[in-house]
Amino acid sequence: MNKKEIIAKRAAEELKPYSIINLGIGIPTLVANYLDKDKYYLHTENGMLGVTSVKEDDIDPLLVNAGKLPVGEAVGASYFHSADSFAMIRGGHVDVAILGALQVDSDGLVANYAIPGKDIIGVGGAMDLLVGAKQIIVTTNHVSKDGSPKLIDKCTYPITSTRKVDVIITDMAVFKWKEGGFELTELVGDTSLKEVEENTTLSYRISKRLLQKESS
Amino acid sequence: MTVLTPESAQQAIQKVKSGDVIMVGGFGLIGSPLTLIDALTKHDVSDLTVISNNVGEAGRGLGILLRQGKLKKAIGSYFTSNREVAQWYNKGKLSLQLLPQGTLSEAIRAGGAGIGGFYTKTAVGTDLAKGKETKEIDGETYVFEKALKADVALIRAWKADTKGNLVYYKTARNFNPMMATAAKYVIAEVDEIVEEGELSPEEIVTPHLFVDEVIKSRLILTKEGVVERE
């Protein structure tokens, strides 16, 4: 498995059966590959509940997800218009949103729609999902392409919402928002605590379980 | 009464005048009224304000109108799919209003439902809420968003009956049903026009009172891209 697949597989383990899930573009889309399709209901903001995968031969150009990728229709699926779709999102009817991120900071805030100096010309459904979904899981590479941390003390890019995220899953670690701050709860693969520390400027504490493991 | 069914898209598109605000359905090219957009590219108008999720793609769909310099302003949620939008914006030749997708779709719904605007939690505390009125409701902060209305809506449906009742196809529905309610004049482009009574009353999504004209689609989106119907 490559890094993205490792992140997606771990994110899938976070999901409770029979929950309503919205998957963002990029790594979040891959999460679907690790879900038992009969046990999860995938929502897409362009107007469908009951998204499933599709075989090459069955592709319908008018049946796509929010990333405009072809998808299939699960048994019991439904279609609705965009206003209803976002009523579901803002109205608190979606259990989990899995989103990508440019940055996440110590306050739990995420920046994922604009880079300063570049034109802010797209936001899509990111802001609605952040205010409306009951749980927010961020899936992201731990560092950016140039090796700089993406999990930082304070977002330098414009934030997408004032809502705090609940879980961050990267190719190195898993962090959970608990009692007013992030807790490092898991190391991915053979990542060490030291490696996480070197690549993270976001404030976090280390879970008791991980500390015990380290000292044993 | 039956809905108007003009012979050509070119005839229908005459309703659009320079300076008009138009709504155009679609999520990218999916559910986009490609035949009507094509007719608009051949229609001599300027200074249009277009309300649509995207401005098509570079040189495709609404992207053609952009290249022709017919657009004054675009209101949408995701212009990233057409890189040329930023170029026109930076040259000062196009103004943009970026809204979260849920706010865009609700603003259109409100516009068609006689609602002047609404308070939403979406975008509170972000750059997109700058300069907008906020209000505390039950201890939470909301931002005010104005409803959107248009002179003409160009929408895409699957089937229409001769009264103008509409049904939609899969995720090609997206913004079309709300746009059908929010414009003074609504032109729907469809794959098939059936006799009234052939659509079951339960399946109709857009009742005919919203629809002024229906034309048959000539340009359709297939796996191979946009093609002329045989």
Side-chain angles (χ1 to χ4, degrees):
Chain A
M1 276 197 289
N2 65 32
K3 278 185 185 180
K4 286 179 177 181
E5 289 165 342
I6 291 167
I7 298 168
K9 184 168 184 286
R10 178 60 190 83
E13 290 164 13
E14 206 63 29
L15 303 170
K16 293 182 186 75
Y18 307 108
S19 51
I20 310 288
I21 301 153
N22 183 292
L23 302 176
I25 296 167
I27 298 172
T29 305
L30 301 176
V31 174
N33 298 341
Y34 303 97
L35 295 175
D36 175 349
K37 64 178 169 52
D38 299 328
K39 286 193 179 158
Y40 296 89
Y41 305 117
L42 297 181
H43 171 273
T44 184
E45 57 262 43
N46 54 318
M48 182 185 191
L49 180 62
V51 174
T52 189
S53 57
V54 64
K55 291 193 192 104
E56 187 70 33
D57 290 347
D58 297 332
I59 286 176
D60 183 333
L62 300 180
L63 178 47
V64 298
N65 64 16
K68 301 194 188 105
L69 297 171
V71 294
E73 191 179 272
V75 175
S78 54
Y79 297 106
F80 31 82
H81 63 56
S82 304
D84 277 351
S85 186
F86 281 93
M88 293 174 193
I89 292 169
R90 277 190 320 264
H93 309 287
V94 171
D95 295 313
V96 188
I98 306 185
L99 307 165
L102 296 164
Q103 299 177 327
V104 189
D105 72 17
S106 301
D107 294 324
L109 303 182
V110 63
N112 77 349
Y113 79 102
I115 298 175
K118 294 196 179 175
D119 303 300
I120 302 180
I121 60 165
V123 62
M127 290 188 173
D128 303 281
L129 284 160
L130 268 158
V131 300
K134 287 182 204 152
Q135 187 191 20
I136 301 288
I137 299 175
V138 167
T139 55
T140 175
N141 287 322
H142 200 91
V143 297
S144 58
K145 277 180 192 150
D146 65 5
S148 60
K150 293 182 79 169
L151 310 185
I152 57 177
D153 189 47
K154 185 103 188 137
C155 285
T156 56
Y157 296 172
I159 56 166
T160 310
S161 176
T162 54
R163 152 84 179 278
K164 297 176 195 308
V165 307
D166 299 289
V167 183
I168 310 170
I169 299 172
T170 78
D171 50 303
M172 296 179 83
V174 177
F175 299 87
K176 295 195 174 173
W177 185 267
K178 283 181 188 171
E179 294 150 19
F182 280 114
E183 184 172 291
L184 171 62
T185 58
E186 238 176 274
L187 296 168
V188 175
D190 53 7
T191 309
S192 68
L193 282 174
K194 189 160 178 293
E195 282 173 300
V196 174
E197 193 188 328
E198 284 167 358
N199 289 288
T200 312
T201 53
L202 165 148
S203 309
Y204 62 92
R205 51 181 196 276
I206 302 165
S207 75
K208 279 183 192 151
R209 202 176 59 86
L210 275 184
L211 282 172
Q212 278 164 4
K213 232 182 181 177
E214 188 79 355
S215 60
S216 63
Chain B
M1 206 178 104
T2 57
V3 72
L4 291 173
T5 50
E7 277 304 305
S8 71
Q10 215 56 47
Q11 202 182 324
I13 211 69
Q14 301 304 317
K15 277 283 169 190
V16 178
K17 308 286 182 215
S18 288
D20 273 0
V21 177
I22 59 168
M23 286 180 179
V24 182
F27 188 81
L29 299 181
I30 297 119
S32 179
L34 298 168
T35 311
L36 288 166
I37 293 170
D38 179 63
L40 194 50
T41 65
K42 295 164 188 158
H43 179 42
D44 185 22
V45 281
S46 59
D47 292 318
L48 298 176
T49 293
V50 61
I51 300 171
S52 192
N53 192 49
N54 325 83
V55 181
E57 294 170 12
R60 296 175 80 193
L62 290 173
I64 302 168
L65 293 178
L66 177 70
R67 280 189 182 172
Q68 291 177 328
K70 286 177 176 167
L71 305 183
K72 178 176 70 177
K73 184 177 181 183
I75 302 172
S77 92
Y78 199 76
F79 301 124
T80 321
S81 53
N82 184 350
R83 290 175 176 278
E84 294 173 7
V85 170
Q87 294 162 14
W88 282 76
Y89 173 71
N90 287 332
K91 282 186 217 154
K93 287 180 171 173
L94 177 74
S95 67
L96 291 179
Q97 186 182 350
L98 184 69
L99 293 170
Q101 201 169 112
T103 299
L104 174 68
S105 51
E106 187 64 16
I108 298 165
R109 198 197 66 80
I115 308 287
F118 56 95
Y119 290 95
T120 174
K121 280 193 275 187
T122 301
V124 167
T126 73
D127 287 355
L128 294 195
K130 274 185 184 161
K132 290 178 179 173
E133 180 206 334
T134 58
K135 186 171 185 147
E136 299 292 315
I137 302 172
D138 292 338
E140 290 196 86
T141 308
Y142 290 74
V143 60
F144 181 73
E145 298 283 359
K146 230 180 122 208
L148 291 169
K149 287 196 270 193
D151 296 298
V152 181
L154 308 180
I155 65 163
R156 180 73 162 94
W158 179 25
K159 289 182 199 172
D161 67 16
T162 48
K163 263 196 159 60
N165 291 306
L166 304 178
V167 295
Y168 298 88
Y169 183 81
K170 301 190 188 280
T171 53
R173 181 182 308 207
N174 56 64
F175 289 85
N176 290 296
M178 294 97 68
M179 289 181 171
T181 71
K184 287 180 212 152
Y185 202 83
V186 176
I187 309 169
E189 163 177 349
V190 301
D191 289 314
E192 199 183 340
I193 302 174
V194 301
E195 287 303 316
E196 63 175 295
E198 282 190 41
L199 300 175
S200 104
E202 284 88 4
E203 73 179 318
I204 291 165
V205 175
T206 297
H208 66 83
L209 62 85
F210 291 119
V211 182
D212 297 288
E213 282 185 39
V214 172
I215 66 146
K216 266 198 79 175
S217 191
R218 184 176 55 79
L219 294 172
I220 53 171
L221 184 64
T222 68
K223 272 198 228 186
E224 285 73 41
V226 179
V227 299
E228 192 122 350
R229 190 192 296 277
E230 287 168 14

